[in-house]
Amino acid sequence: MDCRTARLLLSFARPLVSELETSDAEALEKHLADCLECESIAHAERQADERLRLAMRDVPISPDFRSRLLGRLSYERRAWYRRWPIRHPRITAAAAALLVAAVGFSVYLSIRPAPGIDAVAIRDRAVEQRGASSDVVEKWFRDKYGVQTVAPPTFDYAYLDSFDLNGDRVPQLLFIRGNYRAHVWILSSKQFDVSSLIEQPRTESGGHTVEFQAHPANPSTIYLIEYTGPSLAGFLVEGQPAT
Ligand SMILES: [Zn+2]
């Protein structure tokens, strides 16, 4: 396996290698064992995933939210049992139909064939995405996933390598310049408490820096940026303030 293929497959090897065919996973592991450069990228990817996971776990929830939620649920449940089933035979029938549908769906999930991975399509997409403009990025998320995004305006898209939704349906962009790279997650106020996240200070360790950045004009979008290298400045458009 060559380095180019290894790096493409890396995006599928996280966080679990199970998405890859066994032979691909083995070839990748073998390459990583032999190739210091790819192994260091793989290591950085794992760290980035872990940092994102931690950042999301730390999103604050108001202290009484849980008790209010539980109270509301138990109220709804009691109300539901009072009405059910004599007064509303049609609801009973609908509930039974839903149950049948749910069982059917879980059976379908358990017997459907495991999805394959098309290496050529992945390669073609990577080639197509490299250096795409912010407009192309936003259109791609809209057309493919129906997700409205605001791509970071301060970045120089000449260094854009690739982009996609990650597993948590958060749009993610990867910029690469020389030996350094910057991962950018686009966080929307629809999914995250952006006003408290943006208050979090920059954190740096082991050559990795993580920081949140506001959009210059759009208060409902912030960026979680994880990058390697001495500063983010090299990834930004000339004349943008280096952070
Ligand atoms: Zn390699």
Side-chain angles (χ1 to χ4, degrees):
M1 180 178 289
D2 60 17
C3 289
R4 175 99 183 110
T5 310
R7 287 170 200 195
L8 285 176
L9 289 182
L10 273 178
S11 56
F12 284 90
R14 39 195 288 241
L16 299 168
V17 181
S18 62
E19 281 183 68
L20 290 178
E21 302 281 347
T22 314
S23 56
D24 286 339
E26 280 168 6
L28 178 61
E29 286 306 321
K30 188 170 179 309
H31 182 85
L32 293 181
D34 295 340
C35 175
L36 207 61
E37 257 183 75
C38 288
E39 168 51 30
S40 89
I41 290 176
H43 179 71
E45 298 280 348
R46 286 193 296 272
Q47 282 201 328
D49 284 345
E50 178 62 9
R51 278 157 203 266
L52 179 66
R53 192 182 67 75
L54 290 176
M56 293 188 174
R57 197 194 58 186
D58 291 342
V59 172
I61 292 174
S62 79
D64 65 338
F65 177 76
R66 184 184 147 84
S67 63
R68 277 191 293 138
L69 180 64
L70 291 177
R72 180 73 196 174
L73 284 175
S74 97
Y75 170 82
E76 296 284 354
R77 196 165 50 225
R78 283 196 306 274
W80 163 253
Y81 280 125
R82 272 200 305 277
R83 292 194 300 263
W84 184 87
I86 296 147
R87 293 186 200 166
H88 292 289
R90 265 185 300 178
I91 291 182
T92 314
L98 257 171
L99 180 66
V100 169
V103 169
F105 187 61
S106 66
V107 168
Y108 161 75
L109 287 181
S110 66
I111 62 171
R112 73 182 167 153
I117 288 184
D118 182 346
V120 173
I122 293 167
R123 183 200 62 199
D124 288 347
R125 194 177 76 179
V127 170
E128 184 189 317
Q129 289 190 335
R130 191 177 298 156
S133 71
S134 61
D135 288 345
V136 168
V137 171
E138 290 174 3
K139 181 175 186 309
W140 192 85
F141 280 117
R142 195 167 56 239
D143 292 350
K144 178 147 193 211
Y145 295 112
V147 171
Q148 291 293 335
T149 53
V150 183
T154 54
F155 275 74
D156 186 340
Y157 285 78
Y159 304 116
L160 180 66
D161 179 80
S162 54
F163 48 90
D164 201 354
L165 281 195
N166 76 3
D168 302 300
R169 290 191 67 80
V170 177
Q172 175 190 328
L173 284 67
L174 174 63
F175 293 84
I176 296 179
R177 181 173 186 180
N179 288 323
Y180 300 130
R181 56 165 191 72
H183 260 127
V184 180
W185 288 270
I186 304 175
L187 309 185
S188 143
S189 60
K190 287 188 195 128
Q191 290 172 283
F192 297 94
D193 182 357
V194 298
S195 56
S196 67
L197 286 175
I198 197 74
E199 302 296 330
Q200 291 196 34
R202 177 191 319 186
T203 169
E204 189 196 343
S205 173
H208 294 269
T209 307
V210 175
E211 66 181 60
F212 291 90
Q213 279 196 3
H215 184 280
N218 182 333
S220 60
T221 298
I222 63 168
Y223 304 105
L224 169 57
I225 304 166
E226 184 273 332
Y227 61 93
T228 58
S231 125
L232 203 49
F235 291 104
L236 304 181
V237 185
E238 289 280 325
Q240 289 288 340
T243 52

Short mmCIF file of all heavy atoms in Angstrom, two decimals, residues 1-4 6-7 31-32 34-39, ligand 1:
data_model
loop_
_atom_site.label_atom_id
_atom_site.label_comp_id
_atom_site.label_asym_id
_atom_site.label_seq_id
_atom_site.Cartn_x
_atom_site.Cartn_y
_atom_site.Cartn_z
N MET A 1 0.85 -1.20 0.00
CA MET A 1 0.00 0.00 0.00
C MET A 1 0.89 1.25 0.00
O MET A 1 1.88 1.30 0.73
CB MET A 1 -0.89 -0.02 1.25
CG MET A 1 -1.80 1.20 1.32
SD MET A 1 -2.89 1.16 2.76
CE MET A 1 -4.03 -0.15 2.31
N ASP A 2 0.52 2.25 -0.83
CA ASP A 2 1.31 3.47 -0.84
C ASP A 2 0.75 4.49 0.16
O ASP A 2 -0.32 4.29 0.74
CB ASP A 2 1.39 4.08 -2.26
CG ASP A 2 0.02 4.43 -2.79
OD1 ASP A 2 -0.94 4.51 -1.99
OD2 ASP A 2 -0.11 4.61 -4.01
N CYS A 3 1.50 5.57 0.38
CA CYS A 3 1.12 6.54 1.40
C CYS A 3 -0.21 7.21 1.07
O CYS A 3 -1.04 7.45 1.94
CB CYS A 3 2.21 7.61 1.53
SG CYS A 3 3.71 6.97 2.30
N ARG A 4 -0.41 7.51 -0.22
CA ARG A 4 -1.63 8.22 -0.64
C ARG A 4 -2.87 7.40 -0.26
O ARG A 4 -3.81 7.90 0.34
CB ARG A 4 -1.56 8.44 -2.15
CG ARG A 4 -2.80 9.07 -2.76
CD ARG A 4 -2.62 10.57 -2.96
NE ARG A 4 -3.86 11.14 -3.48
CZ ARG A 4 -4.64 11.94 -2.76
NH1 ARG A 4 -4.33 12.25 -1.53
NH2 ARG A 4 -5.74 12.43 -3.30
N ALA A 6 -3.00 4.95 1.90
CA ALA A 6 -3.05 4.81 3.36
C ALA A 6 -3.77 6.00 3.99
O ALA A 6 -4.61 5.85 4.87
CB ALA A 6 -1.64 4.67 3.92
N ARG A 7 -3.45 7.20 3.48
CA ARG A 7 -4.04 8.40 4.10
C ARG A 7 -5.52 8.53 3.78
O ARG A 7 -6.31 9.00 4.59
CB ARG A 7 -3.27 9.64 3.66
CG ARG A 7 -1.92 9.65 4.37
CD ARG A 7 -0.97 10.68 3.87
NE ARG A 7 0.39 10.27 4.26
CZ ARG A 7 1.43 11.07 4.23
NH1 ARG A 7 1.31 12.31 3.83
NH2 ARG A 7 2.61 10.64 4.60
N HIS A 31 1.09 -0.93 6.70
CA HIS A 31 1.75 0.28 6.21
C HIS A 31 2.10 1.21 7.37
O HIS A 31 3.19 1.77 7.42
CB HIS A 31 0.86 1.00 5.20
CG HIS A 31 1.50 2.24 4.64
ND1 HIS A 31 2.35 2.23 3.57
CD2 HIS A 31 1.44 3.53 5.05
CE1 HIS A 31 2.79 3.45 3.34
NE2 HIS A 31 2.25 4.27 4.22
N LEU A 32 1.18 1.33 8.30
CA LEU A 32 1.42 2.23 9.44
C LEU A 32 2.60 1.75 10.28
O LEU A 32 3.35 2.55 10.84
CB LEU A 32 0.16 2.34 10.30
CG LEU A 32 -1.03 3.05 9.64
CD1 LEU A 32 -2.21 3.12 10.59
CD2 LEU A 32 -0.66 4.44 9.16
N ASP A 34 5.18 0.33 9.15
CA ASP A 34 6.43 0.56 8.43
C ASP A 34 6.70 2.03 8.14
O ASP A 34 7.84 2.42 7.90
CB ASP A 34 6.41 -0.20 7.08
CG ASP A 34 6.37 -1.69 7.30
OD1 ASP A 34 6.74 -2.12 8.41
OD2 ASP A 34 5.95 -2.41 6.38
N CYS A 35 5.63 2.84 8.10
CA CYS A 35 5.79 4.21 7.61
C CYS A 35 5.57 5.20 8.74
O CYS A 35 4.45 5.37 9.23
CB CYS A 35 4.80 4.47 6.47
SG CYS A 35 4.84 6.18 5.90
N LEU A 36 6.64 5.82 9.15
CA LEU A 36 6.60 6.73 10.29
C LEU A 36 5.67 7.92 10.03
O LEU A 36 4.91 8.34 10.90
CB LEU A 36 8.02 7.24 10.57
CG LEU A 36 8.30 7.63 12.02
CD1 LEU A 36 8.11 6.44 12.94
CD2 LEU A 36 9.73 8.17 12.13
N GLU A 37 5.72 8.45 8.81
CA GLU A 37 4.93 9.64 8.49
C GLU A 37 3.44 9.36 8.59
O GLU A 37 2.70 10.12 9.20
CB GLU A 37 5.25 10.11 7.06
CG GLU A 37 6.17 11.32 7.03
CD GLU A 37 6.37 11.78 5.60
OE1 GLU A 37 5.45 12.39 5.05
OE2 GLU A 37 7.44 11.49 5.05
N CYS A 38 3.00 8.27 7.96
CA CYS A 38 1.57 7.94 7.99
C CYS A 38 1.14 7.60 9.41
O CYS A 38 0.04 7.94 9.83
CB CYS A 38 1.25 6.79 7.04
SG CYS A 38 1.34 7.30 5.32
N GLU A 39 2.01 6.91 10.15
CA GLU A 39 1.66 6.57 11.52
C GLU A 39 1.45 7.84 12.35
O GLU A 39 0.56 7.93 13.18
CB GLU A 39 2.76 5.68 12.13
CG GLU A 39 2.68 5.50 13.65
CD GLU A 39 1.31 5.07 14.19
OE1 GLU A 39 0.55 4.39 13.47
OE2 GLU A 39 1.00 5.45 15.33
ZN ZN B 1 3.11 6.17 4.35
#
